Amino acid sequence: MLFSSISEKDKVTAIDDLIHDSSPRPSFFLLVILSTVMATLGVIAQNGAVVIGSMLIAPILSPILSLSLGVVMSDSKLIRWSSLTLLKSTICAIGFAAVFTWFFQNGYDTTINNTEIFSRTEPAIIFLIIAIVAGFATAFARAKPNLNEALPGTAIAVALVPPLAVTGIGIATLNYQIAAGAFQMYLLNLIGIVVATIVTFSLMNLYPKRNHASNAQDRESKSLARDKAKAEKLKEDEEKEKEKSNKKK
């Protein structure tokens, strides 16, 4: 009853939203950067409220969910799409965390004595269980519109950005014990979420919507191509305007 009560319309909407939210748009990566910067500075300053705020705006959870959706649907295209977005997000987050740490570390504790750092360098089975529970809740809430208000809470629970920020902090300070521990924490959370969401999407019986997911990917690809073409056109127009103004001078 729990999963059979999800309507076909809600399933389609959830698939469309997941594929759209995991699209590698400039706005997606901007949010990754902003959330990473917030998390990095919050960790360095040992300000838990700022770290929590960074989790709320982080979009990294979306490509993880769409990756799980691709596995459930045996859709290699969606798996590649989501994996590439996730990989780029991970590298981007660690890189910006390292850069901002390098600039702002003076006067702050960036060692293991920092409680915000220490708490994200000690992977344990309990965190895997938390990630599984949060992944289950997130996947279920995405398919139930009346539960959307629960999504911010699950975004905080999965805690993906802070470990990436701490990984960047470890790299910037050349403390590879911190970097390795934090990245292991990130991978632990990632595995827990993927396992939970694969099970949840399977119970929702989303496999029959494979063709719809493929069509949604095609629409997103065309939309991304149009956006890129528009950006290139604007750039060309700006260059032409500059050439005209230079000739007049």
Side-chain angles (χ1 to χ4, degrees):
M1 288 295 294
L2 188 63
F3 295 97
S4 60
S5 64
I6 300 174
S7 68
E8 297 301 308
K9 181 182 177 182
D10 287 344
K11 291 179 182 179
V12 167
T13 300
I15 291 170
D16 287 340
D17 289 345
L18 273 180
I19 292 175
H20 175 76
D21 293 345
S22 61
S23 296
R25 300 177 183 276
S27 56
F28 175 91
F29 291 106
L30 175 62
L31 287 178
V32 170
I33 293 169
L34 293 177
S35 62
T36 301
V37 171
M38 280 185 64
T40 303
L41 299 181
V43 167
I44 291 174
Q46 300 190 61
N47 189 320
V50 175
V51 177
I52 291 172
S54 72
M55 301 181 207
L56 290 172
I57 64 174
I60 295 180
L61 185 58
S62 294
I64 297 176
L65 295 178
S66 61
L67 171 62
S68 299
L69 182 65
V71 173
V72 169
M73 292 181 167
S74 301
D75 188 334
S76 58
K77 182 181 176 182
L78 183 55
I79 292 172
R80 288 195 302 271
W81 168 289
S82 306
S83 298
L84 187 58
T85 303
L86 180 60
L87 178 62
K88 289 180 179 178
S89 301
T90 301
I91 294 172
C92 182
I94 293 174
F96 272 87
V99 170
F100 271 80
T101 299
W102 191 79
F103 277 109
F104 293 98
Q105 64 179 307
N106 292 335
Y108 293 97
D109 186 359
T110 55
T111 68
I112 203 72
N113 295 322
N114 181 319
T115 55
E116 291 289 337
I117 291 177
F118 177 75
S119 64
R120 292 174 175 90
T121 56
E122 294 292 323
I125 190 66
I126 191 170
F127 295 112
L128 177 63
I129 296 171
I130 291 170
I132 291 173
V133 173
F136 181 92
T138 303
F140 188 73
R142 290 297 294 251
K144 299 284 285 186
N146 60 314
L147 296 179
N148 281 345
E149 65 272 11
L151 290 175
T154 58
I156 294 172
V158 294
L160 291 165
V161 170
L164 289 177
V166 175
T167 301
I169 291 171
I171 292 173
T173 58
L174 301 181
N175 190 325
Y176 296 108
Q177 180 183 357
I178 289 176
F183 193 69
Q184 287 173 19
M185 179 76 82
Y186 168 70
L187 291 178
L188 196 69
N189 288 337
L190 179 62
I191 292 169
I193 296 165
V194 169
V195 169
T197 49
I198 286 175
V199 172
T200 308
F201 289 149
S202 297
L203 292 172
M204 289 179 182
N205 193 29
L206 293 182
Y207 181 82
K209 301 297 181 184
R210 182 179 179 181
N211 288 336
H212 181 83
S214 180
N215 292 333
Q217 290 174 74
D218 291 339
R219 289 195 299 271
E220 284 299 317
S221 296
K222 291 177 181 178
S223 177
L224 289 170
R226 286 195 299 269
D227 291 345
K228 184 178 179 180
K230 287 180 182 178
E232 291 176 351
K233 182 67 167 55
L234 287 172
K235 186 177 180 180
E236 289 177 2
D237 291 342
E238 288 177 358
E239 290 177 353
K240 288 179 180 179
E241 287 296 326
K242 287 180 181 179
E243 289 178 0
K244 287 181 181 179
S245 61
N246 289 333
K247 286 180 180 179
K248 289 180 180 179
K249 292 178 180 179

